[in-house]
Amino acid sequence: MAAPATTAPAPPGRRKSVIGTRRTVAFLFLLPALVLLGALVVYPIGYSLIRSFYNANGDGFAGFDNYKAIFTDDGIRTALKNNIIWVVFAPTLSTALGLVFAVLTERIRWGTAFKLVVFMPMAISMLAAGIIFRLVYDQDPDKGVANAVWVGVHDTFARSSAFPNAHPGRESPLKPDQGGFVTTAAVHAGQPVSLPLVGVAPDQMPDGAKPAVAAVSDPGKVTGSTWQDFTRGKGVGRLGAPDPSELGYDGMRVEAVKDGTVVASAEAAADGTFTLPAAADGAVLRLPASNFKQPYNGVDWLGPSLVTPAIIGSYIWMWAGFAMVLIAAGLAGVPRELLEAARVDGATEWQVFRKVTVPLLAPVLAVVTVTLMINVLKVFDLVYIIAPGSSQDDANVLALELYRKGFSEGQPGIASAIAVFLLLLVIPVMWFNVRRLRREERR
């Protein structure tokens, strides 16, 4: 039998030539990417590092003065404090919400549709999201959704006044008293009382208001009428008496007060008339301040105290879907037999979630959290667009302060120092992520 043929090994010189050719081809393919990387990443980082040691004009060496400003300038210190709040709360809440959504959507038939809706904000740019939430947080309940809901809930339990601007007119029998008004003289049974007011626009009167009428005398009771004593047109209408075009103050509360104590009270009818029992005889009538309190206009979401939490809320709205999708992908790889085994052993659903699901998802949760931490360190768009000028200083973050120092205040040296400082903050987070990925690969 003939011996099998063997291939002679290539000479060492030829092997080196082949390897060198492959390396050259690989380098040529990588060269465009390396050029772009150097032009768009390496050069800006190097230039920013050098520029951070120079003054505003760039012609004088400033040493570490620009870096000292980071910790002494009040605006930068506020930005640094807000960045810490962002890093602590935004990634944590987004990840937690994504985890809850991912776990719960596994149990419902329309889970895919729900995930699609939650993930949709990721398709919106930061600019568009900022404009949306600037409107959502508008102080006017007629424009801002957040305050519309908040005012609706508030008014369900505490009705707002319908007469916030009402006040006595000319020759009125009323005088101011603790935010409300009282009669200048005591009232008596059988003598109708007139309590005219002005100051409420016709379109702001209660929907149930009817044309005002004068009260009818009742010998055993105190009767009266309160109405909008104003008729359009010069010389039209009678002062101190109801006219056909004038409306009654429907729901106006009237109290009879003797020696500082309320002895009787009533609410005006749709035509403005009211009736008090005989106990009101000899008392003064008071229209309490509750009739005239300003309507509740909600929360100042974009004020100095709430602007940062409000903007973080808009960020969570955008990025909770991102966290949910990644966590749902990790959850799909969790062995179901482990979950079933825990249930068979008597574990409750909460125990299964806390002691089995979450530990198995720990690598995915770490990836999501670290990714969002890097993202929030660079947040700029939302803060710049949502925060109004009056509270932008209170919502300031490092990326926004970098922009303001570099382009608005003409201090590129400090802006470069902030950029380098941001890079130093991101590097530990990136190092942790790379180290964790390598550890996962070794497993």
Side-chain angles (χ1 to χ4, degrees):
M1 181 181 293
T6 58
T7 303
R14 186 178 177 185
R15 283 204 305 272
K16 290 181 180 179
S17 175
V18 171
I19 293 173
T21 302
R22 289 177 178 174
R23 287 178 176 173
T24 302
V25 172
F27 175 76
L28 291 175
F29 274 104
L30 291 174
L31 184 60
L34 293 174
V35 171
L36 288 175
L37 186 66
L40 301 179
V41 179
V42 178
Y43 172 74
I45 291 175
Y47 182 80
S48 297
L49 181 60
I50 296 171
R51 190 66 181 81
S52 67
F53 291 103
Y54 284 84
N55 59 17
N57 296 325
D59 55 5
F61 188 73
F64 287 94
D65 291 346
N66 293 327
Y67 290 94
K68 290 179 183 177
I70 295 177
F71 302 99
T72 56
D73 183 276
D74 289 339
I76 302 177
R77 288 169 64 181
T78 300
L80 183 58
K81 180 195 73 174
N82 287 336
N83 262 102
I84 293 173
I85 295 174
W86 272 88
V87 169
V88 171
F89 290 102
T92 304
L93 294 177
S94 297
T95 305
L97 202 58
L99 175 62
V100 171
F101 286 160
V103 172
L104 293 182
T105 50
E106 276 205 331
R107 299 173 173 272
I108 55 179
R109 192 179 308 172
W110 39 273
T112 302
F114 180 83
K115 289 178 182 177
L116 177 63
V117 172
V118 175
F119 188 75
M120 279 178 65
M122 285 295 299
I124 302 174
S125 68
M126 286 281 197
L127 173 65
I131 294 172
I132 290 170
F133 274 88
R134 181 67 181 267
L135 295 174
V136 167
Y137 291 133
D138 195 287
Q139 179 68 39
D140 186 352
D142 293 332
K143 298 179 182 177
V145 175
N147 267 337
V149 174
W150 195 265
V151 169
V153 172
H154 174 275
D155 289 353
T156 300
F157 300 97
R159 190 178 64 177
S160 295
S161 167
F163 321 108
N165 298 314
H167 60 275
R170 292 177 296 143
E171 303 176 16
S172 174
L174 296 168
K175 64 179 181 180
D177 177 71
Q178 300 178 3
F181 305 99
V182 297
T183 55
T184 55
V187 298
H188 299 283
Q191 299 177 5
V193 183
S194 295
L195 302 178
L197 296 169
V198 296
V200 180
D203 59 344
Q204 298 298 318
M205 291 291 288
D207 294 336
K210 296 180 179 179
V213 298
V216 178
S217 175
D218 189 329
K221 298 179 181 180
V222 174
T223 59
S225 179
T226 178
W227 75 98
Q228 174 78 355
D229 190 22
F230 179 79
T231 302
R232 294 180 182 274
K234 185 176 180 180
V236 180
R238 298 167 297 162
L239 187 66
D243 294 314
S245 62
E246 296 171 349
L247 298 176
Y249 280 128
D250 182 20
M252 176 74 76
R253 183 173 177 80
V254 182
E255 297 175 345
V257 182
K258 287 184 179 179
D259 300 323
T261 303
V262 178
V263 296
S265 64
E267 283 193 1
D271 58 6
T273 57
F274 59 87
T275 303
L276 294 167
D281 184 54
V284 294
L285 298 188
R286 179 172 68 186
L287 304 179
S290 59
N291 289 315
F292 312 104
K293 65 181 180 180
Q294 292 293 325
Y296 182 67
N297 287 321
V299 178
D300 188 8
W301 297 104
L302 301 181
S305 58
L306 290 177
V307 62
T308 294
I311 299 173
I312 290 176
S314 66
Y315 178 90
I316 293 172
W317 175 78
M318 288 192 69
W319 288 87
F322 167 82
M324 178 195 66
V325 169
L326 291 188
I327 295 171
L331 192 61
V334 172
R336 301 297 161 182
E337 56 269 18
L338 295 179
L339 304 179
E340 294 302 326
R343 294 188 181 101
V344 170
D345 289 341
T348 62
E349 289 299 323
W350 170 244
Q351 290 173 325
V352 172
F353 172 76
R354 185 165 56 92
K355 295 186 177 181
V356 181
T357 304
V358 172
L360 290 174
L361 288 175
V364 179
L365 296 177
V367 170
V368 173
T369 304
V370 170
T371 302
L372 294 179
M373 286 177 67
I374 296 173
N375 187 270
V376 300
L377 282 172
K378 303 178 295 180
V379 68
F380 164 80
D381 319 58
L382 289 177
V383 180
Y384 183 73
I385 297 167
I386 296 177
S390 58
S391 58
Q392 196 171 87
D393 288 341
D394 300 282
N396 201 9
V397 289
L398 287 174
L400 177 58
E401 186 64 14
L402 184 157
Y403 170 82
R404 293 168 67 176
K405 292 293 185 187
F407 298 99
S408 300
E409 301 178 19
Q411 301 183 55
I414 296 179
S416 299
I418 296 174
V420 174
F421 183 65
L422 272 175
L423 177 64
L424 294 177
L425 291 178
V426 171
I427 285 175
V429 182
M430 294 176 62
W431 174 80
F432 169 80
N433 208 23
V434 170
R435 186 179 177 186
R436 190 199 58 76
L437 288 173
R438 288 179 177 175
R439 190 164 57 246
E440 290 294 324
E441 289 176 357
R442 285 197 296 268
R443 291 179 182 176

